[in-house]
Amino acid sequence: MKCLTRFFAFLLIVSSSSLSGIAQEKRATPPVNAGGTIVELDPAAWKEFSSQEGGFAVLLPGTPFKESRSSVIAGQQIVINLYALETNLQYLMSYGDALQIEESKLTKEDFDALAKLSAEKFSVKVTKMTEISVEGHAGRFVKAISPEGWLYRGKIYFVGKRFYNLAVITPGTEGSSPELVRFCETMSTKFLDSFKLLAPVTETLGEVDRMLRDAKTGVVIGQGLDNGQEKPASTHTVSGGVLEAKITSKPQPEYPAIARAARASGVVVVKVIVDEEGKVIAAQVESGHPLLQLAAVKAARLARFGPTLLDGKPVKVLGAITYNFVLQ
């Protein structure tokens, strides 16, 4: 369990370090407040920001800057998705998936040790730590202060194998007016308490697998994808290179800048379902480098195919599209 705690702590430390980094590097543009410079005091400025991919929503007084970074932690490559907004305060968010950690394996001691290790890493003093939860998933609220007097308020959750890290950085209480202290506390609470999950993130099935599970009409299985797995009773199987022979348009994916920087390359295989008209209606990654997967899926959704007939009638087709990312 000590190894798990260290891994968990290192994961959140990397996440928090990256959040602080992008907050200093770039600043998202907050909405203009004609009534003054304190954007947070304008109720109209606060809008719900959501991420379907991340499975969460939160209130923010503006649109955050987003960036994804890849880190190798304990031999596992993890993509951390980062969001930052700086108005009068700094609002920070991140999430990622850790395959080596499961929520059910994390104990109270793990969370407590995480806070202590993170505090030591950033040379901050933890002044408050309480147990919290979101929709039954355990977490921690942490309040800490830096040697420079900046105050950190944050929440950490683990949902399935996904972690969420939220934080607000504000001026400390020393030397601050009571009005400023109340303002920082109120805005921090408004942001942190607004966090909610949009959907269960413990779902292990991808978009294609979910469609196959819920399909009420037949789906043709293309060559190379019938791996002996159990298929719905209504599924038909047609041998031969169904998709390869019928592809009419295959847009190439953009090479993500973060993947170039990390010198990520190689083949990404995307599993797709094509409808009766040849349009891709579902896509999910089968294999490939994590930093290249999203670009491949986006390109796959734009691919087009000629219709496939079974007994003279057009049918949906399950197959794969392969993309080869080569560094120039």
Side-chain angles (χ1 to χ4, degrees):
M1 186 57 69
K2 289 184 178 180
C3 293
L4 178 62
T5 301
R6 292 194 186 98
F7 181 88
F8 185 27
F10 188 34
L11 177 69
L12 272 297
I13 286 169
V14 170
S15 170
S16 298
S17 298
S18 300
L19 281 171
S20 299
I22 66 170
Q24 295 173 3
E25 292 169 11
K26 297 186 179 181
R27 177 183 300 191
T29 303
V32 176
N33 183 2
T37 59
I38 304 179
V39 177
E40 286 89 344
L41 294 181
D42 180 7
W46 288 86
K47 299 184 183 301
E48 184 174 86
F49 171 80
S50 62
S51 168
Q52 292 296 328
E53 182 182 6
F56 74 93
V58 69
L59 285 177
L60 278 171
T63 302
F65 166 77
K66 179 186 178 182
E67 184 172 309
S68 296
R69 294 185 176 181
S70 178
S71 297
V72 177
I73 304 175
Q76 178 185 344
Q77 187 165 31
I78 295 176
V79 177
I80 300 175
N81 302 278
L82 313 160
Y83 301 84
L85 172 68
E86 183 176 355
T87 54
N88 295 282
L89 308 178
Q90 282 191 358
Y91 304 88
L92 311 170
M93 297 168 286
S94 69
Y95 76 88
D97 296 315
L99 301 180
Q100 294 186 15
I101 302 177
E102 292 183 9
E103 177 188 2
S104 59
K105 296 181 180 179
L106 294 173
T107 66
K108 178 181 181 300
E109 289 72 23
D110 291 326
F111 278 103
D112 293 343
L114 164 65
K116 294 178 181 179
L117 287 173
S118 298
E120 292 174 0
K121 176 68 175 180
F122 293 109
S123 301
V124 297
K125 180 181 178 181
V126 175
T127 59
K128 182 178 181 180
M129 181 171 61
T130 56
E131 297 182 28
I132 57 175
S133 66
V134 58
E135 298 183 22
H137 302 283
R140 286 292 183 276
F141 168 79
V142 179
K143 188 175 181 180
I145 190 166
S146 72
E148 297 79 18
W150 291 98
L151 197 59
Y152 166 96
R153 297 176 179 89
K155 288 187 175 183
I156 300 168
Y157 298 105
F158 229 89
V159 184
K161 293 185 178 181
R162 174 167 293 177
F163 72 89
Y164 292 97
N165 188 8
L166 300 91
V168 184
I169 298 175
T170 72
T173 57
E174 186 175 351
S176 299
S177 66
E179 291 79 9
L180 178 59
V181 173
R182 285 195 298 271
F183 170 79
C184 293
E185 178 72 31
T186 300
M187 297 304 116
S188 298
T189 301
K190 185 171 184 176
F191 165 68
L192 294 173
D193 286 358
S194 69
F195 176 80
K196 65 180 181 181
L197 299 174
L198 296 180
V201 297
T202 55
E203 172 70 76
T204 59
L205 294 179
E207 183 180 47
V208 171
D209 293 333
R210 290 196 302 271
M211 184 169 289
L212 288 176
R213 179 193 62 188
D214 301 333
K216 296 181 180 179
T217 58
V219 177
V220 176
I221 308 299
Q223 183 182 26
L225 288 175
D226 186 356
N227 298 319
Q229 299 177 351
E230 183 178 350
K231 295 184 281 296
S234 60
T235 297
H236 304 286
T237 301
V238 172
S239 61
V242 176
L243 286 185
E244 292 296 329
K246 294 186 175 294
I247 191 165
T248 60
S249 176
K250 185 182 179 182
Q252 293 302 303
E254 295 184 6
Y255 214 120
I258 185 174
R260 288 188 182 278
R263 302 196 62 78
S265 62
V267 174
V268 179
V269 179
V270 181
K271 185 161 65 172
V272 298
I273 293 180
V274 179
D275 69 9
E276 293 84 350
E277 296 179 351
K279 298 179 181 179
V280 174
I281 57 174
Q284 72 182 55
V285 171
E286 281 285 276
S287 62
H289 195 286
L291 293 180
L292 303 172
Q293 292 179 1
L294 182 58
V297 170
K298 286 183 177 179
R301 295 186 189 280
L302 300 176
R304 293 295 180 263
F305 302 84
T308 297
L309 302 179
L310 180 64
D311 297 330
K313 297 180 180 180
V315 292
K316 294 183 179 68
V317 182
L318 171 65
I321 307 176
T322 300
Y323 298 96
N324 188 17
F325 291 79
V326 180
L327 282 171
Q328 300 296 328

